[in-house]
């Protein structure tokens, strides 16, 4: 985009920011786009261009049209992949085939949960099922698999492949093999049957894990009835009420919400058995070994070593944290001072608030959404030389009028209007009825080099948050937690934008699970560094900067009970590992009791089954440890590369080159080694997490030569 066109852009969209109520300074266009309500003029002559600019999706019926087109394209590419001579063209055909299905399925996956129109959601759901069925058939297509094996079994051809092409070919083959395609007919049919059964069990467990439990109203003290939802003569409990200041409310919620459901227990036990059977069938020692292939950790043994060492090094701090909580509970409730699992989240919050005055309402006036978006824009410009620009969506392009569209541009693009264009981020940030209450990142379209057009297919993603709308008197104001979540999710988005991979199969966040969270967690460090915050955090009315002392208090408050909080995550990760190891001659509850005692410390509560609420077992089976390991890597990258100067362009370029650009096209640990310029050990990962709990961690800089 030339300088003239940038100026034209600002003039064209000046209505977004010239009338904003602000008494000190004027918002930039990107800040104004997020600090004001949208008022799009309805022009009846505007043609509905379809969701995300896909012409067919201007109505729910368009999903069927798009699906049929994708399936026709699949047939053509399937024939090409099976018939072309072994080589690069084979892998390109596989990737095109995958891309054609993903572009429809990924979009439908988002629409089925986020679109406010039920007809759109139902049409998208049907598309997901139809495409999913085709993918299952492709994963068991012997002829398709053989075309890939011919390629990889020929050393001469493999030697001529570039590293990215070879890795993508190996990843596609891995997808085939975990479906059991290499087995004889009888065993392959057994593998397919297990896959089908697991799909049903996964859906059943996921649905059941979120279902509320209920109990007769007469059992609950009358003065507590208003704390819970009512259903006739029953009280309904749909969560743990972990933040309630009332000990009894928390205990009641814990005991009822976690009360065992026999059908769901049977579902979980069967699910774990089927996963183990399938893993053994396709040649793995356990489901955990299968799930961890290609990750940073590589094996369950490495994961357990990491978790055990972290437990050992946190032991003294964890004991001190629990002692602080016991003392606080005794102070608040002398008659019932025993520390129980339902006390941990609440009491840790009380201790943080008592030690540091971190009331969110004190921070929010400095953290308007527009200011935070300006901060992100400045940060990305400094580190990577890219800019966020707000662009009005076309008619029918978005699913709600409050969705903002961002164009991601390389700074200084001057030759052609699309040169330097990196991709699009749709920001679905505001609450609305029936919208999922979760912060997440959706890939709508992956980036890839299109051999057939000679152009790069630009990535498209959606970021979903649940923020309050701006009002007549104030823009949307974020709590510190909301601001960190925004930075976190934008880390995922920039991974998608800057992952300029040749193949969409490994684009952006399509990488190892224990690496995928590194870019997003790293952004949290930027979000709490005063040198970054001071560039954008200003009072929306007075323009006064957020005091440095308030940021320091916020950072220090996170360390309060930090060891106990980490230990709870270790317990969950260990439980996940044990469930996905060799079969146990005991129930999942018996395993939970033992692991809770060994890796957490607070007592197990009789007649509860927390594992039945552990919905992460579905999407993150054997990989729940990933968040801890990703945080360890992010901590090391921050301390070694950015803590001294968070806006260092050279480090930003190294980070982009070594960690973001490859997506999943490179071994994850090799990317970490490239960034740190050395090979880190599990002990260093553990030390990185432990050292975060030290006072004034923010000022501690690791010697980059160590």
């Amino acid at each position: 985009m030339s300088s003239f066109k940038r100026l034209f852009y600002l003039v064209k969209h000046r209505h977004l920011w010239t009338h904003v109520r602000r008494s000190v300074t004027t918002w930039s266009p990107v800040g104004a786009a997020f600090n004001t309500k949208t008022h799009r003029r309805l022009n009846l002559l505007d043609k509905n261009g379809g969701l995300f600019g896909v012409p067919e999706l201007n109505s729910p019926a368009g999903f069927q049209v798009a699906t049929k087109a994708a399936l026709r394209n699949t047939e053509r590419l399937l024939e090409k992949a099976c018939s072309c001579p072994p080589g690069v063209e084979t892998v390109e055909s596989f990737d095109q085939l995958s891309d054609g299905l993903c572009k429809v399925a990924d979009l439908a996956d988002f629409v089925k949960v986020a679109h406010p129109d039920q007809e759109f959601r139902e049409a998208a759901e049907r598309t997901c099922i139809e495409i999913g069925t085709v993918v299952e058939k492709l994963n068991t297509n012997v002829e398709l698999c053989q075309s890939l094996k011919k390629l990889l079994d020929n050393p001469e051809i493999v030697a001529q492949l570039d590293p990215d092409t070879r890795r993508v070919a190996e990843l596609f083959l891995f997808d085939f093999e975990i479906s059991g395609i290499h087995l004889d007919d009888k065993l392959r049919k057994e593998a397919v049957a297990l896959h089908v059964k697991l799909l049903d069990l996964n859906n059943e467990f996921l649905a059941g894990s979120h279902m509320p439990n209920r109990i007769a109203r007469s059992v609950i003290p009358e003065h507590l009835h208003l704390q819970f939802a009512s259903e006739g003569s029953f009280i309904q409990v749909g969560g743990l009420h972990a933040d309630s200041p009332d000990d009894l409310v928390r205990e009641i919620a814990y005991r009822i919400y976690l009360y065992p459901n026999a059908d769901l227990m049977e579902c979980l036990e069967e699910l774990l058995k089927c996963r183990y059977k399938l893993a053994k069938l396709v040649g793995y020692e356990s489901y955990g070994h299968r799930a961890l292939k290609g990750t940073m950790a590589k094996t369950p043994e490495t994961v357990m070593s990491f978790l055990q060492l972290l437990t050992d090094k946190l032991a003294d701090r964890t004991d001190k944290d629990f002692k602080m909580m016991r003392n606080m509970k005794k102070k608040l409730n002398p008659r019932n001072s025993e520390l129980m699992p339902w006390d941990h989240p609440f009491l840790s919050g009380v201790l943080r608030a008592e030690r540091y005055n971190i009331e969110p309402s004190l921070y929010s006036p400095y953290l308007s959404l527009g200011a935070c978006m300006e901060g992100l824009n400045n940060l990305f410009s400094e580190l990577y030389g890219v800019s966020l620009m707000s662009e009005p969506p076309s008619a029918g392009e978005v699913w709600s009028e409050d969705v903002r569209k961002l164009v991601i541009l390389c700074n200084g693009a001057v030759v052609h209007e699309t040169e330097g264009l990196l991709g699009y981020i749709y920001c679905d940030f505001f609450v609305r009825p029936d919208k999922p209450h979760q912060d997440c990142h959706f890939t709508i379209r992956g980036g890839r080099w299109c051999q057939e057009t000679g152009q790069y297919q630009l990535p498209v993603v959606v970021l979903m948050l649940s923020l309050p709308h701006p009002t007549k008197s104030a823009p949307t104001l974020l709590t510190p937690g909301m601001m960190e979540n925004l930075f976190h999710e934008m880390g995922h988005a920039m991974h998608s934008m800057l992952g300029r991979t040749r193949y969409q199969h490994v684009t952006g966040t399509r990488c190892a699970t224990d690496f995928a969270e590194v870019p997003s967690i790293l952004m949290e460090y930027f979000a709490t560094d005063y040198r970054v915050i001071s560039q954008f955090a200003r009072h929306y009315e007075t323009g006064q900067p957020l005091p440095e002392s308030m940021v320091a208090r916020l950072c220090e408050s996170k360390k309060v009970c930090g060891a106990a909080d980490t230990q709870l995550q270790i317990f969950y990760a260990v439980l996940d590992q044990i469930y996905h190891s060799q079969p146990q001659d005991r129930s999942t509850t018996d395993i939970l009791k033992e692991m809770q005692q060994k890796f957490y410390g607070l007592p197990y509560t009789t007649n509860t089954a927390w594992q039945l609420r552990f919905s992460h077992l579905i999407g993150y089976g054997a990989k729940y440890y990933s968040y801890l390991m990703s945080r360890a890597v992010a901590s090391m990258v921050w301390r070694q590369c950015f803590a001294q100067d968070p806006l260092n362009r050279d480090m930003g370029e190294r980070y982009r080159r070594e960690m973001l650009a490859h997506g999943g096209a490179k071994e994850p640990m090799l990317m970490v080694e490239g960034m740190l310029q050395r090979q880190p050990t599990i002990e260093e990962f553990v030390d990185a997490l432990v050292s975060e709990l030290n006072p004034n961690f923010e000022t501690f800089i690791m010697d980059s030569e160590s």
Side-chain angles (χ1 to χ4, degrees):
M1 184 180 287
S2 68
S3 300
F4 173 78
K5 283 179 178 172
R6 282 175 182 271
L7 178 62
F8 176 75
Y9 183 95
L10 299 183
V11 172
K12 181 181 176 184
H13 303 301
R14 66 186 183 276
H15 65 278
L16 288 174
W17 51 278
T18 51
H19 303 299
V20 176
R21 178 183 182 274
R22 188 167 182 187
S23 56
V24 180
T25 54
T26 305
W27 299 113
S28 69
V30 74
F34 287 88
N35 263 2
T36 56
K37 285 191 173 182
T38 53
H39 296 287
R40 296 191 184 121
R41 295 175 183 172
L42 180 64
N43 187 338
L44 298 178
L45 298 179
D46 284 348
K47 184 180 178 182
N48 186 327
L51 288 170
F52 297 103
V54 179
E56 295 90 343
L57 301 185
N58 57 13
S59 71
F63 270 102
Q64 189 58 32
V65 177
T67 302
K68 285 182 178 178
L71 295 183
R72 283 196 300 271
N73 190 46
T74 296
E75 289 296 325
R76 179 181 64 81
L77 288 168
L78 179 60
E79 184 178 344
K80 181 181 177 183
C82 291
S83 60
C84 69
V88 174
E89 188 181 357
T90 308
V91 183
E92 288 174 346
S93 297
F94 268 78
D95 195 63
Q96 289 174 34
L97 197 160
S98 172
D99 180 56
L101 292 171
C102 284
K103 277 192 289 194
V104 179
D106 289 345
L107 192 156
D109 236 0
F110 169 74
V111 170
K112 76 177 184 181
V113 298
H115 203 291
D117 187 324
Q118 186 175 343
E119 288 188 26
F120 265 100
R121 294 198 302 270
E122 290 174 351
E125 176 70 36
R126 289 192 292 272
T127 286
C128 287
I129 293 170
E130 195 168 350
I131 298 271
T133 302
V134 171
V135 170
E136 285 298 314
K137 288 180 180 177
L138 289 173
N139 284 341
T140 55
N141 186 312
V142 177
E143 186 183 1
L144 188 62
C145 179
Q146 285 301 320
S147 69
L148 202 58
K149 279 188 69 63
K150 281 180 192 174
L151 166 67
L152 290 171
D153 287 345
N154 188 322
E156 291 182 9
I157 296 176
V158 169
Q160 296 171 16
L161 300 178
D162 62 273
D164 286 8
T165 301
R166 179 173 178 174
R167 178 165 171 81
V168 169
E170 290 169 347
L171 289 171
F172 274 124
L173 187 61
F174 174 66
D175 290 341
F176 276 119
E177 289 178 346
I178 62 174
S179 298
I181 200 164
H182 57 295
L183 304 173
D184 62 39
D185 286 347
K186 181 183 176 184
L187 293 178
R188 187 163 65 247
K189 286 178 181 176
E190 188 179 342
V192 170
L194 282 169
H195 265 292
V196 172
K197 186 175 182 180
L198 276 168
L199 284 174
D200 292 338
L201 289 169
N202 287 345
N203 290 333
E204 182 184 343
F205 183 78
L206 203 54
S209 67
H210 296 294
M211 290 293 288
N213 277 343
R214 63 181 195 167
I215 193 170
R217 292 170 65 90
S218 57
V219 178
I220 305 296
E222 190 172 346
H223 70 283
L224 297 179
H225 286 184
L226 292 177
Q227 300 290 329
F228 304 100
S230 292
E231 185 187 341
S233 60
F234 291 93
I235 291 290
Q236 196 176 79
V237 182
L240 292 173
H241 291 247
D243 295 327
S244 173
D246 191 315
D247 290 2
L248 189 54
V249 169
R250 295 197 306 275
E251 180 177 355
I252 289 170
Y254 191 93
R255 290 182 181 277
I256 296 173
Y257 188 61
L258 300 184
Y259 190 81
N261 177 300
D263 291 338
L264 199 58
M265 188 75 78
E266 186 179 337
C267 172
L268 176 59
E269 304 274 0
E270 187 62 23
L271 187 154
L272 296 175
K273 285 178 186 174
C274 286
R275 283 182 172 177
Y276 175 75
K277 281 183 188 175
L278 183 59
K280 290 290 285 184
L281 198 61
V282 297
Y284 291 90
E285 189 177 329
S286 70
Y287 182 84
H289 286 86
R290 192 198 95 165
L292 296 182
K293 183 175 179 179
T295 62
M296 283 197 294
K298 296 189 183 300
T299 68
E301 291 78 17
T302 301
V303 174
M304 287 302 292
S305 295
F306 169 65
L307 298 173
Q308 183 65 64
L309 185 58
L310 185 53
T311 296
D312 294 342
K313 292 209 172 189
L314 286 176
D316 291 343
R317 296 171 191 249
T318 303
D319 288 343
K320 288 177 183 175
D321 285 353
F322 284 144
K323 185 177 180 181
M324 281 196 303
M325 290 185 210
R326 286 188 185 95
N327 290 339
M328 177 56 73
K329 187 169 184 183
K330 189 173 183 179
K331 177 180 173 182
L332 295 175
N333 188 355
R335 292 178 298 175
N336 182 18
S337 59
E338 183 182 4
L339 187 63
M340 299 299 289
W342 53 80
D343 296 321
H344 178 159
F346 172 71
L347 292 177
S348 60
V350 170
L351 286 162
R352 276 190 283 271
E354 182 182 69
R355 191 169 298 183
Y356 303 96
N357 185 12
I358 52 167
E359 170 57 41
S361 62
L362 298 174
Y363 290 82
S364 293
Y366 299 92
L367 301 174
S368 71
L369 177 57
C372 293
M373 294 304 296
E374 284 185 3
L376 286 163
N377 189 32
N378 292 338
L379 179 63
F380 297 147
S381 182
E382 292 283 350
L383 290 179
Y384 314 127
V386 304
S387 299
L388 312 178
M389 296 193 76
S390 178
E391 177 180 283
S394 303
E397 187 176 354
V398 295
W399 49 100
S400 178
E401 71 164 11
D402 56 19
V403 173
R404 310 313 202 250
K405 180 184 178 184
L406 290 178
V407 181
I408 316 305
L409 296 159
C410 281
N411 292 345
V414 294
V415 179
H416 185 267
E417 65 179 1
T418 59
E419 184 172 321
L421 184 58
L422 297 177
Y424 302 96
I425 302 173
Y426 290 84
C427 300
D428 189 355
F429 284 174
F430 302 103
V431 293
R432 63 174 176 269
D434 298 328
K435 178 182 173 181
H437 190 77
Q438 61 188 93
D439 297 343
C440 48
H441 162 274
F442 293 86
T443 297
I444 303 299
R445 184 177 71 195
R448 74 177 181 96
W449 176 253
C450 298
Q451 197 71 35
E452 58 274 29
T453 64
Q455 292 183 327
Y456 197 81
Q457 175 175 289
L458 297 175
V460 177
V461 304
V462 173
L463 294 189
M464 183 186 283
L465 304 175
S466 297
L467 304 178
H469 287 271
T471 65
K472 289 182 179 179
S473 60
T476 293
L477 302 178
L478 277 58
T479 64
M482 290 174 180
M483 186 264 283
E484 283 186 45
N485 287 349
L486 169 62
F487 272 62
H488 178 102
E489 297 303 334
M490 194 59 82
H492 285 308
M494 293 309 291
H495 196 183
S496 294
M497 296 297 108
L498 300 177
R500 309 297 278 182
T501 53
R502 178 176 176 180
Y503 299 102
Q504 68 81 36
H505 192 62
V506 289
T507 186
T509 57
R510 290 173 182 166
C511 56
T513 308
D514 55 5
F515 181 83
E517 289 295 328
V518 174
S520 53
I521 294 173
L522 183 62
M523 283 297 293
E524 295 175 23
Y525 291 94
F526 289 99
T528 52
D529 186 285
Y530 187 70
R531 292 162 295 180
V532 176
I533 293 175
S534 62
Q535 295 207 337
F536 68 88
R538 283 176 166 70
H539 198 287
Y540 76 99
E541 289 183 312
T542 68
Q544 290 297 308
L546 177 64
E548 187 172 2
S549 60
M550 288 178 67
V551 178
R553 287 205 310 270
L554 188 65
C555 292
E556 288 301 306
S557 73
K558 294 180 179 183
K559 300 168 190 175
V560 177
C561 299
D565 293 344
T566 302
Q567 195 59 54
L568 181 59
Q569 293 303 310
I570 293 170
F571 160 51
Y572 296 159
V574 167
L575 191 64
D576 176 42
Q577 287 299 307
I578 302 300
Y579 282 167
H580 290 103
S581 62
Q582 300 287 337
Q584 309 277 319
D585 290 327
R586 51 190 175 149
S587 71
T588 55
T589 302
D590 288 336
I591 296 170
L592 180 141
K593 286 181 192 176
E594 182 186 338
M595 295 306 117
Q596 184 165 334
Q597 181 181 5
K598 186 176 178 182
F599 287 95
Y600 186 33
L602 296 188
Y604 167 76
T605 304
T606 306
N607 286 328
T608 62
W610 179 85
Q611 73 273 23
L612 299 184
R613 300 297 182 180
F614 196 7
S615 58
H616 285 85
L617 288 173
I618 302 306
Y620 290 85
K623 296 180 182 179
Y624 190 81
Y625 77 93
S626 295
Y627 189 83
L628 285 169
M629 192 165 279
S630 288
R631 178 163 287 282
V633 172
S635 176
M636 293 181 73
V637 170
W638 171 259
R639 290 165 63 186
Q640 182 173 313
C641 304
F642 293 108
Q644 193 167 16
D645 178 6
L647 303 176
N648 185 300
R649 180 62 179 272
D650 289 338
M651 281 300 173
E653 288 296 339
R654 186 207 287 184
Y655 176 56
R656 179 178 179 177
R657 181 179 66 250
E658 297 291 347
M659 293 188 78
L660 296 180
H662 303 286
K666 194 173 179 180
E667 285 281 349
M669 194 59 84
L670 291 178
M671 291 189 274
V672 176
E673 290 172 15
M675 187 65 200
L676 298 178
Q677 299 188 336
R678 59 193 176 83
Q679 186 173 7
T681 64
I682 291 297
E683 288 76 13
E684 287 179 300
F685 284 174
V686 168
D687 289 341
L689 291 174
V690 173
S691 65
E692 285 196 348
L693 301 176
N694 293 333
N696 301 317
F697 160 73
E698 297 78 21
T699 61
F700 176 69
I701 313 295
M702 178 185 281
D703 181 356
S704 61
E705 298 301 315
S706 62

